[in-house]
Amino acid sequence: MNQMEITEVLRYLPHRYPFLLVDRVLSLEPGKNIVGLKNVTINEPFFQGHFPHHPVMPGVLIIESLAQAGAILQFKSRDTLADDSYAYYFVGIDNARFRAPVMPGDQLMLNVRLLRFMRGIWKFAAEARVGDTLVAEAELMCTVRSLK
């Protein structure tokens, strides 16, 4: 069970504020699964416009949070760090469902399980929860490409 604080998360993700959407890793088993955490605060820049009268975290950013957790799992599974010579891309999102809104003050639990890795494509089963409530789920397909 690997835990990671934000300083280590930053070593495995190329994302930075305001697009870094994983605050901590609670557990990680390389080649298998990861449980990450995103603390959702009213200070998030997207709440200024989504929606000022009823702040809700955009569903696409919940999916992005899950993908970032998957990226950490991918880099840890291959024992590599994120750096400027690689880009981590979505190649597909299947069966995405949004079950409940995510609001400021929520802790978004990111559960991502590796389904398979084939021909450079990583496929993950991903769920986001607030407490015991499933708020979003999807199958994510991602790849890493060299920029050089």
Side-chain angles (χ1 to χ4, degrees):
M1 178 162 129
N2 293 321
Q3 293 188 358
M4 297 167 61
E5 299 297 324
I6 190 63
T7 53
E8 190 174 1
V9 167
L10 290 169
R11 295 175 60 214
Y12 287 92
L13 282 178
H15 306 80
R16 295 297 180 262
Y17 179 85
F19 218 68
L20 178 65
L21 298 173
V22 177
D23 294 323
R24 175 179 292 158
V25 172
L26 302 176
S27 66
L28 186 148
E29 191 172 349
K32 297 200 179 204
N33 58 49
I34 185 172
V35 177
L37 173 69
K38 166 66 178 146
N39 290 307
V40 181
T41 72
I42 193 64
N43 297 323
E44 308 283 353
F46 50 81
F47 285 135
Q48 292 177 30
H50 196 266
F51 302 98
H53 64 284
H54 181 68
V56 176
M57 185 175 185
V60 295
L61 294 182
I62 297 170
I63 297 296
E64 176 64 25
S65 299
L66 290 164
Q68 288 183 21
I72 296 169
L73 176 58
Q74 179 271 316
F75 282 115
K76 286 289 270 188
S77 296
R78 298 191 73 192
D79 198 27
T80 58
L81 297 173
D83 64 36
D84 292 342
S85 64
Y86 294 96
Y88 190 77
Y89 293 114
F90 269 126
V91 295
I93 302 168
D94 292 332
N95 303 313
R97 297 288 180 266
F98 302 96
R99 309 279 183 199
V102 176
M103 315 288 266
D106 286 342
Q107 282 195 324
L108 194 60
M109 300 298 295
L110 310 167
N111 300 291
V112 180
R113 181 173 44 92
L114 177 63
L115 295 175
R116 71 174 175 261
F117 173 67
M118 186 168 40
R119 294 195 297 254
I121 305 294
W122 297 77
K123 185 170 185 177
F124 303 102
E127 290 185 346
R129 293 182 178 273
V130 173
D132 293 333
T133 303
L134 178 66
V135 296
E137 60 188 328
E139 290 180 357
L140 309 175
M141 288 158 285
C142 305
T143 192
V144 177
R145 293 288 184 242
S146 174
L147 297 175
K148 296 183 178 186

